Amino acid sequence: MGEAAKEHMRGHRSRLRERFLKGGPDALADYELLELILFLAIPRRDVKPLAKDLIARFGTYAAVLSADVERLGAMPGLGDTAVAAIKSVQASALHLARVQARSQPVLDNWSAVSDYLQGVMGNMAREQFRLMFLDRKNKLITDEVLSEGTIDHTAVYPREVIRRALELDAGALILVHNHPSGDPSPSRADILMTKEISEACDKVGVKVHDHIIVGKTGQASFKELGLL
């Protein structure tokens, strides 16, 4: 890269940082937000083309952050340092969302919980089944991944749900899984599985408050749909 090109790149980076600091994230396009991350990992190269390629490949800024390490690593020009930088931003965002979700009883803080679940699961390429364990006052004890599956199926067994709930002395729980297709509408299998888990939990005094299905841009609640 010649001196003129280097000077142009330095000027571009400076202007982009200034726009971000003055106007916040809304002042930048998705690819420009990615540029800010890539600046730190790739100091001596114009990263705008790479940032645009990432958006073209994954679709959105959020989808880039949520992409797994293997898929990111397969992108030409994206090394381990850049992949780590991208994933660290996602990890920081999810940590903040988790803290906010745990700050008060879940049922009184549903907006923060919903945002957290969307961030964790909204762009996953495979199905994942997650359990949110609540204490007797409906505060979050922990949330854990119970199983991971294929693009359209994950196996869940009521006995595993009950065993873990009793280990944690949970008084209630919320079932959560994602639909990689993007459509959060419950399938017949989802409805039957939820019924089995809810009935099994009732027998040991654990309340199933809801089952949330997370899609790419929204969620479905079994409770709101009258299915639980």
Side-chain angles (χ1 to χ4, degrees), residues 6 27 35 61 68 73 75 81 86 93 113 120 124 126 135 138 140-141 144 152 161 170 173 180 208 214 228:
K6 289 180 181 178
E35 281 190 81
Y61 176 73
D68 60 42
M75 284 289 295
T81 302
I86 290 170
V113 174
V120 172
M124 285 185 171
R126 296 181 180 277
D135 65 16
N138 287 321
L140 184 64
I141 299 171
E144 298 180 349
D152 60 1
V161 176
L173 53 85
V208 176
V214 181
L228 188 63

Short mmCIF file of all heavy atoms in Angstrom, two decimals, residues 6 27 35 61 68 73 75 81 86 93 113 120 124 126 135 138 140-141 144 152 161 170 173 180 208 214 228:
data_model
loop_
_atom_site.label_atom_id
_atom_site.label_comp_id
_atom_site.label_asym_id
_atom_site.label_seq_id
_atom_site.Cartn_x
_atom_site.Cartn_y
_atom_site.Cartn_z
N LYS A 6 -2.28 4.83 2.29
CA LYS A 6 -2.22 4.71 3.75
C LYS A 6 -2.84 5.94 4.42
O LYS A 6 -3.57 5.83 5.41
CB LYS A 6 -0.77 4.55 4.21
CG LYS A 6 -0.16 3.20 3.88
CD LYS A 6 1.28 3.14 4.38
CE LYS A 6 1.92 1.80 4.03
NZ LYS A 6 3.33 1.74 4.48
N ALA A 27 -25.63 6.26 13.68
CA ALA A 27 -25.01 7.12 12.67
C ALA A 27 -24.22 6.32 11.64
O ALA A 27 -23.76 6.88 10.64
CB ALA A 27 -24.08 8.13 13.35
N GLU A 35 -16.53 -2.39 10.48
CA GLU A 35 -15.22 -1.78 10.24
C GLU A 35 -14.57 -1.37 11.55
O GLU A 35 -13.36 -1.55 11.74
CB GLU A 35 -15.35 -0.56 9.33
CG GLU A 35 -15.50 -0.86 7.85
CD GLU A 35 -15.38 0.40 7.01
OE1 GLU A 35 -14.24 0.82 6.76
OE2 GLU A 35 -16.43 0.97 6.65
N TYR A 61 -25.65 -7.20 10.61
CA TYR A 61 -24.59 -7.03 11.61
C TYR A 61 -24.76 -8.06 12.73
O TYR A 61 -23.79 -8.71 13.14
CB TYR A 61 -24.67 -5.61 12.17
CG TYR A 61 -23.70 -5.29 13.29
CD1 TYR A 61 -22.35 -5.12 13.04
CD2 TYR A 61 -24.17 -5.14 14.59
CE1 TYR A 61 -21.46 -4.82 14.07
CE2 TYR A 61 -23.30 -4.83 15.63
CZ TYR A 61 -21.95 -4.67 15.36
OH TYR A 61 -21.08 -4.37 16.38
N ASP A 68 -20.95 -18.71 13.93
CA ASP A 68 -19.98 -19.50 14.70
C ASP A 68 -18.57 -19.28 14.17
O ASP A 68 -18.35 -18.77 13.06
CB ASP A 68 -20.36 -20.98 14.73
CG ASP A 68 -20.42 -21.63 13.35
OD1 ASP A 68 -19.53 -21.36 12.52
OD2 ASP A 68 -21.34 -22.42 13.12
N GLY A 73 -14.28 -18.06 10.27
CA GLY A 73 -12.91 -18.38 9.88
C GLY A 73 -12.76 -18.78 8.43
O GLY A 73 -11.67 -18.71 7.86
N MET A 75 -14.13 -17.20 6.01
CA MET A 75 -14.17 -16.00 5.18
C MET A 75 -12.75 -15.61 4.75
O MET A 75 -11.87 -15.45 5.60
CB MET A 75 -14.79 -14.83 5.94
CG MET A 75 -16.29 -14.88 6.06
SD MET A 75 -17.14 -14.57 4.50
CE MET A 75 -16.69 -12.87 4.17
N THR A 81 -7.40 -13.43 14.77
CA THR A 81 -7.49 -12.21 15.58
C THR A 81 -8.78 -11.46 15.29
O THR A 81 -9.46 -10.98 16.21
CB THR A 81 -6.28 -11.30 15.31
OG1 THR A 81 -5.08 -12.01 15.61
CG2 THR A 81 -6.35 -10.05 16.18
N ILE A 86 -14.54 -10.06 16.69
CA ILE A 86 -15.98 -10.09 16.41
C ILE A 86 -16.73 -10.83 17.52
O ILE A 86 -17.74 -10.36 18.05
CB ILE A 86 -16.25 -10.74 15.04
CG1 ILE A 86 -15.77 -9.82 13.92
CG2 ILE A 86 -17.74 -11.05 14.86
CD1 ILE A 86 -15.77 -10.47 12.55
N ALA A 93 -21.90 -8.06 24.54
CA ALA A 93 -23.31 -7.69 24.43
C ALA A 93 -24.21 -8.69 25.16
O ALA A 93 -25.15 -8.30 25.87
CB ALA A 93 -23.72 -7.60 22.96
N VAL A 113 -35.43 -9.93 29.21
CA VAL A 113 -35.24 -11.36 28.97
C VAL A 113 -35.42 -11.68 27.49
O VAL A 113 -34.63 -12.43 26.90
CB VAL A 113 -36.24 -12.18 29.82
CG1 VAL A 113 -36.16 -13.66 29.46
CG2 VAL A 113 -35.97 -11.97 31.30
N VAL A 120 -29.03 -14.20 21.93
CA VAL A 120 -28.34 -15.49 22.06
C VAL A 120 -28.72 -16.44 20.93
O VAL A 120 -27.86 -17.14 20.38
CB VAL A 120 -28.68 -16.14 23.42
CG1 VAL A 120 -28.15 -17.57 23.49
CG2 VAL A 120 -28.10 -15.33 24.56
N MET A 124 -28.97 -18.40 15.20
CA MET A 124 -28.31 -19.70 15.20
C MET A 124 -28.68 -20.50 13.96
O MET A 124 -29.82 -20.47 13.51
CB MET A 124 -28.69 -20.49 16.45
CG MET A 124 -28.01 -20.00 17.71
SD MET A 124 -28.39 -21.06 19.12
CE MET A 124 -27.24 -20.40 20.31
N ARG A 126 -28.47 -23.84 13.84
CA ARG A 126 -29.04 -25.12 14.25
C ARG A 126 -29.96 -24.92 15.45
O ARG A 126 -29.83 -23.95 16.18
CB ARG A 126 -27.93 -26.12 14.62
CG ARG A 126 -27.05 -26.49 13.43
CD ARG A 126 -25.98 -27.50 13.82
NE ARG A 126 -25.14 -27.84 12.69
CZ ARG A 126 -25.46 -28.76 11.78
NH1 ARG A 126 -26.59 -29.43 11.89
NH2 ARG A 126 -24.66 -29.01 10.76
N ASP A 135 -36.08 -19.28 40.67
CA ASP A 135 -36.28 -19.65 42.07
C ASP A 135 -37.74 -19.42 42.46
O ASP A 135 -38.59 -19.13 41.61
CB ASP A 135 -35.31 -18.88 42.98
CG ASP A 135 -35.57 -17.37 42.99
OD1 ASP A 135 -36.65 -16.92 42.55
OD2 ASP A 135 -34.68 -16.63 43.44
N ASN A 138 -39.27 -16.27 41.30
CA ASN A 138 -39.19 -16.08 39.84
C ASN A 138 -37.97 -15.28 39.40
O ASN A 138 -37.98 -14.67 38.32
CB ASN A 138 -40.47 -15.45 39.29
CG ASN A 138 -41.63 -16.43 39.29
OD1 ASN A 138 -41.45 -17.61 39.00
ND2 ASN A 138 -42.81 -15.95 39.63
N LEU A 140 -34.08 -15.36 38.09
CA LEU A 140 -33.32 -16.31 37.30
C LEU A 140 -32.17 -16.89 38.12
O LEU A 140 -31.32 -16.16 38.63
CB LEU A 140 -32.78 -15.62 36.05
CG LEU A 140 -32.01 -16.48 35.04
CD1 LEU A 140 -32.93 -17.54 34.45
CD2 LEU A 140 -31.42 -15.61 33.94
N ILE A 141 -32.14 -18.21 38.24
CA ILE A 141 -31.02 -18.91 38.87
C ILE A 141 -29.90 -19.04 37.85
O ILE A 141 -28.76 -18.66 38.08
CB ILE A 141 -31.44 -20.30 39.38
CG1 ILE A 141 -32.55 -20.20 40.42
CG2 ILE A 141 -30.23 -21.05 39.94
CD1 ILE A 141 -33.15 -21.54 40.80
N GLU A 144 -29.40 -22.55 30.90
CA GLU A 144 -28.46 -23.57 30.41
C GLU A 144 -28.97 -24.18 29.11
O GLU A 144 -30.17 -24.31 28.89
CB GLU A 144 -28.29 -24.67 31.45
CG GLU A 144 -27.70 -24.20 32.77
CD GLU A 144 -27.55 -25.32 33.78
OE1 GLU A 144 -28.09 -26.43 33.54
OE2 GLU A 144 -26.90 -25.09 34.81
N ASP A 152 -33.45 -28.44 12.02
CA ASP A 152 -34.89 -28.41 12.28
C ASP A 152 -35.33 -29.36 13.40
O ASP A 152 -36.51 -29.65 13.53
CB ASP A 152 -35.68 -28.72 11.00
CG ASP A 152 -35.35 -30.10 10.43
OD1 ASP A 152 -34.54 -30.82 11.04
OD2 ASP A 152 -35.92 -30.44 9.38
N VAL A 161 -34.94 -32.62 32.03
CA VAL A 161 -35.41 -31.31 32.51
C VAL A 161 -35.68 -31.37 34.01
O VAL A 161 -35.24 -30.50 34.78
CB VAL A 161 -36.69 -30.89 31.75
CG1 VAL A 161 -37.23 -29.58 32.31
CG2 VAL A 161 -36.41 -30.76 30.26
N ALA A 170 -35.06 -25.46 41.66
CA ALA A 170 -35.85 -24.46 40.93
C ALA A 170 -37.32 -24.63 41.25
O ALA A 170 -37.83 -25.74 41.37
CB ALA A 170 -35.61 -24.61 39.43
N LEU A 173 -39.66 -22.85 35.65
CA LEU A 173 -38.74 -22.73 34.53
C LEU A 173 -39.46 -22.24 33.29
O LEU A 173 -40.68 -22.26 33.20
CB LEU A 173 -38.01 -24.05 34.27
CG LEU A 173 -38.81 -25.33 34.06
CD1 LEU A 173 -39.26 -25.47 32.61
CD2 LEU A 173 -37.97 -26.54 34.44
N PRO A 180 -34.30 -22.18 13.31
CA PRO A 180 -33.37 -21.59 12.34
C PRO A 180 -34.02 -21.17 11.03
O PRO A 180 -33.47 -20.33 10.31
CB PRO A 180 -32.36 -22.73 12.11
CG PRO A 180 -32.39 -23.52 13.37
CD PRO A 180 -33.83 -23.50 13.79
N VAL A 208 -43.99 -24.78 34.85
CA VAL A 208 -43.50 -24.32 33.55
C VAL A 208 -44.28 -23.06 33.19
O VAL A 208 -45.46 -23.12 32.86
CB VAL A 208 -43.67 -25.40 32.46
CG1 VAL A 208 -43.23 -24.85 31.10
CG2 VAL A 208 -42.86 -26.64 32.80
N VAL A 214 -37.81 -18.84 19.48
CA VAL A 214 -37.11 -17.67 18.96
C VAL A 214 -36.87 -17.84 17.46
O VAL A 214 -36.28 -18.84 17.03
CB VAL A 214 -35.75 -17.48 19.68
CG1 VAL A 214 -35.03 -16.24 19.15
CG2 VAL A 214 -35.96 -17.37 21.19
N LEU A 228 -50.36 -23.15 26.70
CA LEU A 228 -49.79 -23.59 27.97
C LEU A 228 -50.54 -22.93 29.12
O LEU A 228 -50.80 -21.73 29.07
CB LEU A 228 -48.31 -23.20 28.04
CG LEU A 228 -47.50 -23.74 29.22
CD1 LEU A 228 -47.46 -25.27 29.18
CD2 LEU A 228 -46.09 -23.18 29.19
#
